[in-house]
Amino acid sequence: MPKKIVIVGGGSGGMMVANRLARQLPDEIKRNEVEITLLSNTEKHIYQPGYLFIAFNEQQPEHFIRKQERIAHRLVNLVYDDVQIIDPGTNRVHGDKSTYSYDYLVIATGSHPDMNSIPGLSEGADNFYTLEGAEKLRDKLADFQEGKILITIDVPHKCPAAPLEITLMLDDYFRKKGVRDQVEIKYTYPIGRIHSLQPVADWGLPEFEKRNIDYETFFNLEEVDSKKKVAITMDGEEHSYDILISIPAHTGAKAVIDSGLGDEDGFIPTDRYNLKMEGSDDVYVVGDATNLPISKAGSTAHYQAETLVHNLISRVKGRPETARYSGKVACFLENSLEDASMITFDYQHPPKPATTSDMLHWFKSVYNELYWLNARGIL
Amino acid sequence: MRQVDFTKQVDARGTYCPGPLMELVKSIKRGQMGDVIELISDDKGSRVDIPEWVNKMGHEIANERLEGEDYYIAVRKMK
């Protein structure tokens, strides 16, 4: 009987783990000593950072979408099924179509923006955290000639840099359209600075001041009145808008919540170094699905996948699991449609934004293409 | 070095993004009125920005203490 490794979730983390395992265990898979099954509830693989560029019509949506079977390695058993229940007690995963037993399980079920997390949000707000939302926002921005754009942010949410990036890109977008003087851009943030990372706040604030971007801190959204076009905050104040771009609170996957594996937000308690689900030796968690207090981002999933795959291969080969996730994260910071900065950090080293340059924007554009090598487990 | 009973403890040591205060905001938002969330942070900025947020939002600091470089703050959700 082969050792069965089942991966739930075909997004960045799940696909990278599956493909890296397949590339590093080809002989074992061919000898039927190991079987790698990737369960995906969608036939599309979407590069989610692309949403930011779709919103500004910088790229077509199709540019960021591939078919899963074009990405998955030929030695990965790719199955389209919608997992409903994960049962570590019996080492089984129950999908709509079938039940899958495993020796080792990797949960890569991601995080999901909840547009119903605040009353009135789904009716009154736009977003760029879904494909549909980014396309709708693109069309609204293209028609927008004057008025007020309000940006609100809730926690937890993936890609912590994106709200700041879209704000700076909006400024450039409307300058290029020649209507920036008629468009008021107001950015808000729940705590006392414009980003949770002090160095990133220090990087963005001078840009806000130089480019006449309004901002308000300690802004905690509680309700949206889409008829009056006002956002209402915890202190009862009403804030008007013509377009409300909202980054809603995210939750873990329904299957995680329904299986009772998540915390109050549906994220799985996970060891920060070995990435095992707390209380389990056979279940690993990767990417946004963990409850780790670090950025929910593709780069996090990538670096975690490197650790997790190394340990899984060691385990399959009867060797000790020695790799530890360092907490490494890397994020680009788009400053406009033309230039960018970037940060890297881990559990031990705080971030320090790189000098903003055209080059880093080009690097980001190149990475948007290189991603497909990452997803294939090559890079 | 008094300690208090807490509803939930969040260990945010060694985390930079979204960072200790955002972890607290998330936990307070999800909690019930009267819950006490204890947060541990090794970020020196937390000693200033967390009490500032707690006071601004009308919650209550139930306890705070330093153990070496680790800052413990227990916050009671008031509304």
Side-chain angles (χ1 to χ4, degrees):
Chain A
M1 284 285 285
K3 285 279 182 198
K4 292 182 176 178
I5 303 175
V6 172
I7 299 141
V8 181
S12 294
M15 186 61 84
M16 284 180 199
V17 168
N19 284 340
R20 281 172 176 270
L21 285 170
R23 286 183 186 283
Q24 293 177 58
L25 293 168
D27 296 336
E28 288 81 356
I29 295 169
K30 286 173 191 165
R31 288 197 300 263
N32 202 31
E33 293 166 7
V34 176
E35 181 183 283
I36 297 163
T37 300
L38 175 62
L39 302 175
S40 174
N41 63 359
T42 170
E43 295 183 12
K44 286 180 185 170
H45 191 98
I46 304 180
Y47 175 63
Q48 295 181 42
Y51 295 155
L52 195 56
F53 302 96
I54 293 169
F56 292 106
N57 207 21
E58 291 279 301
Q59 290 282 2
Q60 304 299 325
E62 303 77 38
H63 190 82
F64 300 111
I65 302 171
R66 303 281 189 279
K67 286 185 176 172
Q68 294 281 42
E69 59 255 40
R70 299 285 301 277
I71 308 297
H73 191 278
R74 65 185 185 284
L75 295 176
V76 171
N77 176 32
L78 172 64
V79 178
Y80 295 120
D81 200 350
D82 198 3
V83 169
Q84 302 297 326
I85 292 292
I86 298 164
D87 183 4
T90 60
N91 281 32
R92 281 187 166 78
V93 172
H94 302 279
D96 278 345
K97 295 177 186 166
S98 189
T99 291
Y100 310 85
S101 62
Y102 65 83
D103 294 292
Y104 307 120
L105 178 69
V106 179
I107 303 176
T109 45
S111 65
H112 306 273
D114 180 7
M115 291 303 284
N116 295 311
S117 56
I118 284 175
L121 194 67
S122 61
E123 299 84 13
D126 285 283
N127 83 87
F128 62 101
Y129 272 65
T130 63
L131 178 59
E132 184 190 31
E135 290 182 298
K136 195 173 147 213
L137 181 59
R138 172 197 62 202
D139 297 344
K140 273 196 182 179
L141 294 176
D143 288 340
F144 200 66
Q145 299 295 325
E146 61 178 337
K148 179 178 175 184
I149 300 177
L150 181 66
I151 297 119
T152 67
I153 294 149
D154 205 346
V155 285
H157 69 84
K158 69 177 96 180
C159 203
L164 194 54
E165 291 178 289
I166 198 168
T167 304
L168 295 164
M169 292 163 84
L170 280 167
D171 168 73
D172 193 25
Y173 177 81
F174 288 110
R175 281 182 199 279
K176 287 187 164 70
K177 274 178 79 169
V179 296
R180 179 65 179 89
D181 288 347
Q182 287 86 57
V183 176
E184 180 186 352
I185 300 171
K186 182 168 181 178
Y187 172 93
T188 67
Y189 208 66
I191 63 174
R193 52 180 179 262
I194 65 166
H195 195 268
S196 59
L197 290 166
Q198 186 71 56
V200 174
D202 293 343
W203 170 81
L205 195 59
E207 295 295 328
F208 276 21
E209 288 169 351
K210 189 169 71 185
R211 292 152 65 174
N212 196 29
I213 297 169
D214 193 14
Y215 65 93
E216 184 172 334
T217 55
F218 293 116
F219 190 105
N220 291 268
L221 184 66
E222 283 214 324
E223 190 181 343
V224 177
D225 185 333
S226 58
K227 288 190 180 127
K228 285 169 67 183
K229 288 206 160 192
V230 291
I232 303 158
T233 42
M234 201 182 272
D235 51 15
E237 280 189 32
E238 295 190 352
H239 306 260
S240 65
Y241 66 83
D242 294 297
I243 294 178
L244 173 62
I245 300 175
S246 196
I247 291 84
H250 287 41
T251 65
K254 186 171 180 299
V256 170
I257 296 167
D258 291 347
S259 303
L261 301 180
D263 62 13
E264 65 269 30
D265 294 312
F267 297 112
I268 302 168
T270 304
D271 184 279
R272 65 167 66 187
Y273 297 114
N274 66 26
L275 304 173
K276 289 181 183 177
M277 182 173 81
E278 281 184 11
S280 174
D281 193 38
D282 300 329
V283 181
Y284 299 78
V285 193
V286 67
D288 291 3
T290 77
N291 76 333
L292 296 177
I294 56 175
S295 299
K296 294 192 181 302
S299 68
T300 308
H302 177 177
Y303 294 123
Q304 289 179 341
E306 290 179 346
T307 300
L308 198 156
V309 166
H310 189 91
N311 282 341
L312 263 175
I313 288 172
S314 294
R315 200 161 177 182
V316 163
K317 296 187 175 198
R319 296 167 189 157
E321 299 179 76
T322 54
R324 280 161 62 92
Y325 174 57
S326 65
K328 188 169 181 185
V329 181
C331 296
F332 287 96
L333 299 168
E334 292 282 6
N335 182 52
S336 71
L337 301 172
E338 310 284 347
D339 61 358
S341 173
M342 75 172 296
I343 46 173
T344 59
F345 51 100
D346 59 31
Y347 291 143
Q348 303 296 326
H349 304 92
K352 187 178 166 199
T355 304
T356 303
S357 67
D358 298 354
M359 189 73 83
L360 282 171
H361 171 70
W362 298 340
F363 185 18
K364 168 69 178 176
S365 304
V366 170
Y367 182 77
N368 289 346
E369 312 307 317
L370 289 177
Y371 169 74
W372 302 106
L373 294 179
N374 259 334
R376 288 184 171 91
I378 297 170
L379 192 65
Chain B
M1 218 178 264
R2 185 175 65 91
Q3 298 188 15
V4 293
D5 292 335
F6 49 78
T7 316
K8 180 183 173 184
Q9 188 182 56
V10 180
D11 184 354
R13 286 175 288 190
T15 65
Y16 296 110
C17 189
L21 177 50
M22 294 297 263
E23 291 299 325
L24 179 69
V25 172
K26 185 179 79 175
S27 296
I28 288 281
K29 204 182 71 173
R30 290 286 183 200
Q32 304 291 318
M33 199 164 75
D35 282 358
V36 175
I37 312 295
E38 182 172 78
L39 183 112
I40 315 170
S41 171
D42 56 4
D43 173 16
K44 284 185 180 150
S46 293
R47 300 172 202 176
V48 176
D49 64 14
I50 292 179
E52 184 188 19
W53 183 86
V54 171
N55 292 328
K56 181 94 177 167
M57 293 299 134
H59 301 301
E60 183 182 281
I61 297 171
N63 179 246
E64 58 181 331
R65 66 185 194 279
L66 269 178
E67 290 186 15
E69 289 299 303
D70 295 336
Y71 173 59
Y72 288 69
I73 180 165
V75 179
R76 184 173 288 112
K77 179 168 175 159
M78 299 303 286
K79 57 185 181 181

